[in-house]
Amino acid sequence: MACRLSELVVDCRDPEELAAWWAEVLGYRVLSRDEDGAVEIGPETGFGGPAPTLVFAPVADPSPGKPRLHVDVSPSDRDQDAELDRLLALGATPADVGQTGEENWHVLADPEGNPFCLLRRRLEPPPTPERPT
């Protein structure tokens, strides 16, 4: 059996603020808060579900320089242009990582400057878990 991606950890200055921002972007909710200040967000299914969770861990000074990992997001209920407008309204900013301008994706940065890409391809939203009635 192979491993499965279960969570991504992001070092940041303000875990509460960045977790809230990414929760809004992804339609996630806060799953837990640790004593050390880390905040975990994820889908309704929680940790171990079909999508990985994100853990925002507090660090005094996140490492500068080019990150070795970034997140790609895809629109799920609108086209790429409408999603770009939504992300910019939430506080994302355009980022230049050396792209040519011919790409069919947008490179943006979250409020702490972490780059991520908005892809063109629209994905269906994940199924909502059934709740007991």
Side-chain angles (χ1 to χ4, degrees):
M1 174 168 231
C3 288
R4 187 177 138 201
L5 186 61
S6 59
E7 62 187 18
L8 297 172
V9 179
V10 179
D11 290 345
C12 59
R13 288 180 290 279
D14 189 338
E16 287 289 339
E17 182 178 310
L18 205 55
W21 191 85
W22 276 104
E24 182 69 25
V25 168
L26 299 171
Y28 276 16
R29 65 181 181 85
V30 172
L31 299 174
S32 66
R33 289 178 170 88
D34 291 344
E35 289 179 16
D36 69 355
V39 180
E40 182 176 21
I41 64 170
E44 288 294 322
T45 54
F47 178 82
T53 62
L54 296 172
V55 177
F56 297 89
V59 296
D61 189 20
S63 301
K66 183 176 180 350
R68 297 182 69 185
L69 177 71
H70 72 267
V71 174
D72 288 346
V73 297
S74 296
S76 61
D77 62 352
R78 63 199 77 187
D79 67 19
Q80 185 188 44
D81 290 337
E83 184 63 2
L84 176 62
D85 290 342
R86 185 179 84 89
L87 295 174
L88 292 171
L90 286 173
T93 55
D96 182 357
V97 295
Q99 62 269 37
T100 66
E102 300 298 318
E103 295 82 6
N104 64 0
W105 64 86
H106 296 278
V107 182
L108 303 168
D110 71 17
E112 287 204 9
N114 302 302
F116 67 97
C117 295
L118 171 62
L119 305 181
R120 178 176 301 275
R121 183 171 179 208
R122 184 176 162 175
L123 299 177
E124 291 302 315
T128 349
E130 291 185 29
R131 296 183 183 208
T133 54

